[in-house]
Amino acid sequence: MKSNREDRPRPIRDMIRRLIVAPASLSFIWPVLLIVGGYVAWDRWGAEHVANKFYGVQLENIQVTEPPGYIRTDIPGTVFRDTALDQLSLLDVQATAKIASAFATHPWVNRVISVRKLPGGKVDVHLEYRRPVAMVHVFKPNQADSGSYFFPIDGTGTLLPTTEFAQSETLDYIHIEVPDVYPTGVVGGPFGDVRVEAAARLAGVLSPVREQAKVRAIGVHGDARQNVVPQLEITTTDNRRLFWGSPPGLEEGGERTVEMKLHALMSGEEITNGDLRLAKRTRLE
């Protein structure tokens, strides 16, 4: 028969037993808690931190098509600063599209041809740049702000940054001289005047041969209000005034083509009444 002494409560012994058994059971719980806690922390903070640190777009890793000499702006730096590219991760499935959209906003960029993600977090951006073909000569007779100004434009009449050019450099471009005109658009957008934009189309054609053809300026012939399509005239460096007619691509029926007008201008042949629309057709060399 067992002794009654074994049935008596023994608090000290029970406490020791619990201390011995507890670590064995907790050995299964703690790893689970660590795994769950680690996953939650990674999901909430860790993944974002690693993505920003190792996969975020870095300015020094952006390489763009070499810009021509007339562009003095740091295009990658400007785009990076103005469009918050530092907040974009290369892990984003739309990263290349977002980078392309960011660069398309720059006024010197005519078109984003491609964006490629390269190893090491580098990004290659292939750009087509706008080319200035003329300077719009603006006179602003205002007591508060009077003077003569030049606004660079490309062959579509897009207004380009004015800070890129010194005053002396304006002589290297065809001047567009239209009375009572001033830009109404923003840099990177249309100049805002149909006469200027028509002259810009012609400047785009004449710019490559400006020196050979002795072209100094392009103006509007006659009253623009009476013409649906502005009619243009050329002033040469030897002060001849030649009637060009319609802007390239907008010729009226029976009007000479751009190629024929250019040939007459370049060949030195006599131009009847100074009207290039009526220039004699000769064999192209």
Side-chain angles (χ1 to χ4, degrees):
M1 185 174 181
K2 293 184 179 180
S3 173
N4 293 334
R5 296 175 61 182
E6 295 181 2
D7 298 330
R8 288 182 300 175
R10 297 181 179 182
I12 295 177
R13 184 186 66 181
D14 294 340
M15 182 180 67
I16 293 174
R17 285 178 177 175
R18 285 196 298 270
L19 290 175
I20 294 174
V21 174
S25 62
L26 290 178
S27 64
F28 296 99
I29 298 174
W30 281 112
V32 174
L33 292 176
L34 288 174
I35 292 172
V36 173
Y39 174 80
V40 171
W42 170 262
D43 184 62
R44 178 168 297 183
W45 302 291
E48 182 179 354
H49 173 74
V50 171
N52 289 337
K53 184 173 182 180
F54 297 103
Y55 296 100
V57 178
Q58 304 295 325
L59 175 58
E60 59 271 20
N61 288 336
I62 299 176
Q63 53 193 37
V64 301
T65 305
E66 184 70 22
Y70 53 79
I71 297 179
R72 285 84 183 246
T73 300
D74 176 12
I75 292 179
T78 302
V79 172
F80 190 83
R81 182 190 67 240
D82 293 347
T83 61
L85 281 181
D86 58 324
Q87 303 299 315
L88 178 64
S89 170
L90 291 176
L91 295 178
D92 189 329
V93 295
Q94 294 185 333
T96 55
K98 291 178 179 179
I99 293 171
S101 296
F103 275 89
T105 63
H106 198 281
W108 274 120
V109 175
N110 184 49
R111 183 167 64 100
V112 179
I113 298 173
S114 65
V115 176
R116 294 185 302 153
K117 292 189 287 186
L118 302 176
K122 295 186 180 299
V123 180
D124 179 70
V125 186
H126 191 190
L127 301 173
E128 177 183 281
Y129 297 105
R130 291 190 169 104
R131 180 175 66 90
V133 299
M135 295 280 175
V136 183
H137 191 186
V138 172
F139 179 72
K140 192 176 181 184
N142 186 300
Q143 292 183 351
D145 184 18
S146 62
S148 183
Y149 302 87
F150 290 93
F151 293 88
I153 58 172
D154 71 359
T156 66
T158 297
L159 184 62
L160 301 175
T162 59
T163 55
E164 307 289 304
F165 303 92
Q167 185 75 12
S168 59
E169 291 179 299
T170 62
L171 299 176
D172 297 331
Y173 296 90
I174 296 172
H175 290 181
I176 293 177
E177 298 176 342
V178 176
D180 303 320
V181 69
Y182 198 80
T184 59
V186 297
V187 175
F191 185 90
D193 188 286
V194 294
R195 299 168 298 171
V196 170
E197 290 159 14
R201 294 171 72 112
L202 178 54
V205 170
L206 296 178
S207 178
V209 297
R210 177 182 64 89
E211 293 185 355
Q212 300 94 309
K214 299 180 180 180
V215 177
R216 183 186 67 79
I218 298 173
V220 176
H221 182 85
D223 189 348
R225 293 172 297 183
Q226 298 178 1
N227 300 307
V228 177
V229 177
Q231 299 298 294
L232 306 173
E233 63 181 15
I234 297 171
T235 302
T236 64
T237 54
D238 54 0
N239 293 319
R240 289 182 300 152
R241 299 184 70 173
L242 304 173
F243 182 35
W244 176 275
S246 304
L250 299 176
E251 288 81 8
E252 298 176 351
E255 187 175 351
R256 300 293 188 182
T257 66
V258 171
E259 292 77 14
M260 293 169 64
K261 293 177 184 178
L262 270 179
H263 179 74
L265 185 63
M266 300 284 292
S267 66
E269 70 178 56
E270 182 181 353
I271 300 172
T272 305
N273 297 324
D275 192 341
L276 285 164
R277 299 177 308 166
L278 307 176
K280 295 179 181 178
R281 182 168 187 173
T282 58
R283 183 174 61 87
L284 297 179
E285 300 296 336

